[in-house]
Amino acid sequence: MGGNGTFGPGIRGEPSRVGELDGVWDVRRTGGALPPLYGVRKRIHGRTGETLFGAVPVRFDVRGLELHYRAPFFGLVDALEPVGGSYRGRTRLFGREVGQFELRRSIVAEDIKTQLIKHIDEAHAMEQNVLRMLDGMISTTDDPEILDALEHHKVQTQGHADRMAERLEAHDAAPSTVKQIGGVLGALAKMPLDMVRGEKAGRNARDGYATEHLEIASYELLRRIAQKAGDESTAQAATEIIAEEAAMAKTIEEHWDRFAELSLQEEGVTV
């Protein structure tokens, strides 16, 4: 809009510059008939977003540098113009300007993003640890059906690690070397120690079942933090990974009798 054509891409309907507006933004009224907008934020991801009035979301579609609101607010459009690291906005109702505002990246949101990156990094480290654990389980498993399930889950786990690495890259971060192991990683690190003992089948099943639920818990937390940070891609990845971990846990559940039999056989006990 205006002589410099700042809003041109949105008005002409050209593809938005996906990612440019991603994140959480504080909104400040600067003029016109808009209400004070205290505590109002905009959360944007890709081609969609929402204006948050407290806990109430009003959703919109991103078209270039324009935010087109959905029903029941058809005709309401926020047109944005970049100014340094922030944006100047004009709210229009059926083409008529009704107010002006400013968008600035939320400081709280940046703090959340820092925490999000930490949790993604921990999830990536967790998957690396699980890969090593699966290698140990595979090397001590003779039952063909169980071996097939473990090898299949190893492929899934490598995919999980790759997805977390991709999500770190999306935030301009890289996997770190975890020197201080605690929490979930600490619990996982202890489990493979049992594999040098007898009853390998039973202990593998026990450790694997516990691991799946530790992973589910980790990704449930990551999913919620990602949602609060406005990172729907990470939230979706976590949701899909949770489903695969739950399926593996279900597979173990369905074979407890077999694991018990194998454990007894390994100890020379005939039932």
Side-chain angles (χ1 to χ4, degrees):
M1 196 63 167
N4 59 9
T6 302
F7 304 141
I11 291 176
R12 291 193 301 269
E14 296 176 6
S16 65
R17 288 169 282 186
V18 177
E20 178 179 337
L21 297 171
D22 280 7
V24 181
W25 302 82
D26 292 327
V27 184
R28 183 177 71 88
R29 175 185 176 275
T30 57
L34 296 176
L37 303 178
Y38 296 131
V40 174
R41 288 179 177 169
K42 292 186 187 293
R43 184 165 56 195
I44 301 173
H45 178 73
R47 299 184 185 278
T48 62
E50 55 193 8
T51 298
L52 301 169
F53 295 88
V56 180
V58 179
R59 292 180 171 81
F60 53 76
D61 296 312
V62 181
R63 303 177 188 173
L65 289 176
E66 289 189 346
L67 314 179
H68 290 248
Y69 286 83
R70 302 177 183 178
F73 299 101
F74 283 132
L76 191 65
V77 176
D78 288 337
L80 307 176
E81 176 184 3
V83 181
S86 61
Y87 287 86
R88 181 183 301 123
R90 295 183 175 86
T91 299
R92 300 190 178 98
L93 183 61
F94 296 110
R96 180 180 178 182
E97 187 171 312
V98 296
Q100 303 85 42
F101 62 91
E102 180 183 53
L103 293 184
R104 290 187 177 275
R105 287 200 179 273
S106 172
I107 295 176
V108 172
E110 289 301 305
D111 291 341
I112 293 176
K113 181 179 177 180
T114 298
Q115 292 302 309
L116 172 62
I117 291 172
K118 182 185 77 172
H119 280 271
I120 297 173
D121 188 34
E122 289 177 353
H124 180 267
M126 174 180 68
E127 297 294 3
Q128 296 297 325
N129 211 338
V130 172
L131 282 170
R132 290 190 290 271
M133 184 177 180
L134 285 169
D135 282 337
M137 289 180 170
I138 289 169
S139 69
T140 57
T141 298
D142 297 320
D143 185 276
E145 185 178 359
I146 297 171
L147 185 61
D148 182 66
L150 289 172
E151 289 177 338
H152 174 68
H153 194 55
K154 181 181 177 181
V155 173
Q156 288 183 322
T157 300
Q158 183 61 63
H160 301 167
D162 292 343
R163 293 188 76 174
M164 290 301 100
E166 290 169 0
R167 295 315 305 151
L168 285 171
E169 185 178 356
H171 290 286
D172 297 321
S176 63
T177 301
V178 180
K179 297 180 180 179
Q180 298 296 325
I181 298 180
V184 173
L185 295 180
L188 290 177
K190 295 174 184 177
M191 289 180 179
L193 296 178
D194 288 330
M195 293 178 185
V196 300
R197 306 173 187 170
E199 293 186 56
K200 296 182 178 65
R203 292 179 184 276
N204 281 351
R206 179 203 65 190
D207 293 351
Y209 191 72
T211 298
E212 296 309 320
H213 287 86
L214 281 168
E215 290 184 276
I216 289 169
S218 179
Y219 281 112
E220 287 285 7
L221 183 60
L222 173 59
R223 179 170 68 86
R224 286 162 174 79
I225 292 174
Q227 288 173 334
K228 291 182 181 298
D231 183 354
E232 293 301 326
S233 293
T234 296
Q236 182 62 30
T239 298
E240 293 170 1
I241 291 171
I242 287 168
E244 292 184 347
E245 305 294 8
M248 184 59 185
K250 182 67 174 177
T251 297
I252 296 172
E253 286 181 10
E254 293 170 349
H255 290 83
W256 280 124
D257 288 338
R258 180 59 178 157
F259 289 128
E261 291 172 2
L262 290 171
S263 291
L264 292 172
Q265 289 174 14
E266 289 169 356
E267 294 299 304
V269 178
T270 302
V271 179

